[in-house]
Amino acid sequence: GIPIPARAKKGGAGRKPKYPFAELQVGDSFLVPGKTTDKISRTTSLARKRTGFNFTVRNVEGGVRIWRTA
């Protein structure tokens, strides 16, 4: 007869995103210093699923640049 308590939120819930994928307008980009396309591709793929936006990723001097394309 004891009710189940509400589930506690995980520590990451409500935290500020590490990268500004959702804030980008078409044609905007941002630099991720010290990374390669291999290291950031999973993050970009998840952002594409969450936002519905399309992104292009390129290795540039100093890291990786990510553009919103659609």
Side-chain angles (χ1 to χ4, degrees):
I2 300 172
I4 300 171
R7 187 176 288 202
K9 291 186 177 183
K10 294 183 180 182
R15 67 184 168 124
K16 184 178 177 186
K18 186 172 185 178
Y19 303 114
F21 288 105
E23 299 169 15
L24 295 178
Q25 299 297 316
V26 175
D28 287 350
S29 69
F30 65 95
L31 179 69
V32 181
K35 299 283 186 178
T36 64
T37 55
D38 295 338
K39 301 286 183 190
I40 203 77
S41 63
R42 173 89 173 127
T43 301
T44 305
S45 178
L46 289 172
R48 183 177 293 122
K49 289 178 184 177
R50 289 184 181 138
T51 63
F53 301 158
N54 290 326
F55 303 98
T56 297
V57 181
R58 297 287 188 271
N59 286 318
V60 296
E61 186 175 333
V64 173
R65 185 159 289 276
I66 301 170
W67 286 266
R68 179 177 167 197
T69 56

